[in-house]
Amino acid sequence: MTNTDDRRDDTIQTFHTLVNLSVAEMEAWLDTNESQSVGIKIGTTHEKKTSPAGGESTGHAMGWEIVALLGKPEADLDDDDLARMRKVCGYIKRHTAQRPEKKVLETSRWRYSLMNWGHDPLK
């Protein structure tokens, strides 16, 4: 096995470890108002512009890409797919490290944002 194969396998394994929502859970979540209420809007230049003022957030759009990645056979994953998987893993790792001290995390924007990226921190 080459270093490239090892990196590919590590990426896939890490992705499937961190993305703890199934395709069905992701699809159901992405269809909720809560899912669409968080995140930086696609095409905006200012971080304060968040949903639901109009348009789709970056995280919500990535959620649909994650659904596609979860449904793709491992042998069919290309370099672009692996790059997206690494991006998802990086986001989940960074965002989980920023866990708020709120007592009620269930309805927090922090959790909602992570769920858009396929990870439910309360699972």
Side-chain angles (χ1 to χ4, degrees):
M1 194 177 258
T2 66
N3 285 342
T4 303
D5 291 336
D6 288 344
R7 183 164 187 227
R8 175 186 173 83
D9 291 345
D10 288 346
T11 297
I12 293 168
Q13 180 179 8
T14 302
F15 176 81
H16 286 291
T17 299
L18 293 174
V19 174
N20 65 0
L21 297 176
S22 68
V23 169
E25 289 170 320
M26 285 287 300
E27 289 173 337
W29 167 250
L30 292 169
D31 283 336
T32 67
N33 289 334
E34 291 85 354
S35 170
Q36 296 173 41
S37 72
V38 295
I40 298 171
K41 308 292 260 15
I42 294 173
T44 62
T45 57
H46 194 278
E47 291 183 13
K48 298 277 185 210
K49 293 184 179 179
T50 59
S51 296
E56 184 176 37
S57 73
T58 302
H60 192 266
M62 180 58 81
W64 290 113
E65 290 185 42
I66 292 166
V67 168
L69 288 169
L70 289 171
K72 200 169 193 180
E74 192 173 308
D76 293 345
L77 294 171
D78 62 23
D79 289 342
D80 290 338
D81 294 328
L82 294 170
R84 269 191 293 287
M85 291 173 126
R86 285 190 289 277
K87 181 177 181 176
V88 169
C89 293
Y91 179 86
I92 292 171
K93 287 176 182 179
R94 283 189 312 278
H95 209 62
T96 55
Q98 299 170 357
R99 184 182 184 106
E101 294 184 21
K102 287 178 72 171
K103 292 186 180 187
V104 180
L105 294 176
E106 187 172 332
T107 58
S108 68
R109 294 177 60 80
W110 173 79
R111 178 179 181 231
Y112 290 172
S113 181
L114 274 166
M115 288 177 68
N116 279 349
W117 288 75
H119 180 79
D120 185 349
L122 301 183
K123 230 179 172 187

